Amino acid sequence: MGGFLNLAILAILVATLYGPVYRQLTLLGVLRKATHEVRLAEQRTFHRIEDTMQCEDLHYYTPSHQIFTACEDSILPRFKWFPPLGNFEQPVESTGSIHVIDPTTMKSTRLAFENFAAPLITHGIEVLEDPDRPDAVYIFAVNHLPNKTYYQAGPHSQETPKASSQVELFHHVLGTKTIRHVRSIRHSLIVTPNDIIAESPLSFYVTNDHFYREGLKRQIEDIYPAAKWSSIVHVHLDSLESEDAETGVDAKVALTGLQNNNGLGHGQSKEEILISNAIGGIMYRGRANPETGNISIVDEVHLDSTIDNPSYYMDPYRASDGNDASGYVLAGLLRAIDLPKNHADPNAKDGVMVWYTRPKAAKEAGGAVEWETRLIFEDDGTNIRSSSAALLVSIEPKPQEKKKAWLFVTGFISESVIAVEVLL
């Protein structure tokens, strides 16, 4: 990545030529500092979840009242090797881990792998109920492996990529402390995988957050709004039984034309797919065509920072009190402009912002939806460094009190998942 000054100059030029200056500068946080009032006013109780390092994604699984995540097992390797940040300095062979967080005890349980010993460099995940047994789930996990062909001694093409990213599929019986590896999944269309949303154990969508893996062209993707080159790929497996990652894997492009499509999430209905344009601060609500597998965009919501993995909070008490607090939760960076100089620095700080948004009302029948958006958590990097996913877990409301929920926040270079009590 380029230097901080060069990126700032380019960002201002891009904003001047291709969009409102204020919007672009706001997204990057060029003039923004953490507001002490927001960080402390919303914070009632604070928890730091132990043994949850650099867990990029979070998924709350309602049936078991558990949060699933994939984490690294040490802090420093990610600053040497993490393709999503352009960190290619030194390939690592570390094996990350899958964790289950209990939102009642605020404890994390590390699941022991069965039938899996390969490196696991974690990123986005997906949790899917096993259709054949409700007491179990399938877990899809992005794995950013180094490409052995590139790093082994001997000739290779200049076009040979440094990373050989793929998707791992696991199976977990709820309540146990183990997780079984089912198979690996690799395809030429899965280039820069970021996040996953699954239809079944044999069918899922995965984002390519960039078209280019590294270099100047990748930087252009980040700062040029018209560089809508990223894609979402629809993957279908012929079988779960395969020792070869490429066997029985069919894939097609389901959506393109978005800039930096990044995180995926489940919406308020089974049909709704949430997609984030990370650098553009836009959450798209999409819908998949069951016949073609293609995704169409229904509408979009603009936030005032970069954003990542979106989640939807369904208020379980909406029917009992008539006050529906359901809404979308999105985590982003306080100052994305600092990331190019911080991405390989273990000692830097990257502040966070977490947004809560919900439809307010339609202007008229069939008209555009108005959105009610507010900042529910902010930190200058003291309590958590970076935020890439956030979700809400409800707290049973008390009479005459405002609704509250536990807000869980994590980041791609955070030292731990945190939980704070927020008002809805």
Side-chain angles (χ1 to χ4, degrees), residues 87-224:
N87 291 346
F88 293 102
E89 180 181 340
Q90 180 180 322
V92 298
E93 297 292 322
S94 63
T95 298
S97 47
I98 308 295
H99 294 239
V100 180
I101 298 172
D102 185 333
T104 301
T105 65
M106 301 295 175
K107 302 293 184 182
S108 172
T109 300
R110 180 186 294 240
L111 300 179
F113 288 120
E114 295 179 358
N115 193 38
F116 185 75
L120 178 63
I121 293 86
T122 60
H123 201 177
I125 67 166
E126 164 69 315
V127 181
L128 176 75
E129 181 181 7
D130 183 343
D132 296 322
R133 54 179 303 180
D135 66 333
V137 293
Y138 285 98
I139 298 176
F140 295 79
V142 172
N143 186 5
H144 291 293
L145 295 170
N147 186 353
K148 293 182 179 180
T149 302
Y150 180 90
Y151 288 100
Q152 286 175 344
H156 59 73
S157 168
Q158 290 184 348
E159 302 301 318
T160 301
K162 296 177 182 177
S164 182
S165 302
Q166 61 188 32
V167 175
E168 309 294 351
L169 179 57
F170 298 94
H171 188 266
H172 168 65
V173 178
L174 299 171
T176 68
K177 295 185 178 181
T178 61
I179 185 168
R180 177 177 59 86
H181 186 244
V182 177
R183 65 164 296 173
S184 299
I185 303 157
R186 189 166 59 246
H187 191 276
S188 59
L189 287 180
I190 303 175
V191 181
T192 56
N194 186 302
D195 202 10
I196 303 165
I197 192 167
E199 298 177 304
S200 74
L202 296 170
S203 177
F204 64 92
Y205 292 91
V206 57
T207 55
N208 285 312
D209 56 31
H210 289 78
F211 183 83
Y212 295 99
R213 299 173 190 264
E214 59 179 320
L216 177 61
K217 291 181 178 179
R218 181 186 173 103
Q219 294 177 42
I220 292 173
E221 286 189 79
D222 286 335
I223 63 174
Y224 182 45

Side-chain angles (χ1 to χ4, degrees), residues 330-345:
L330 300 110
L333 298 177
L334 183 75
R335 287 177 49 84
I337 194 72
D338 293 339
L339 193 59
K341 69 181 177 66
N342 290 349
H343 71 100
D345 182 358

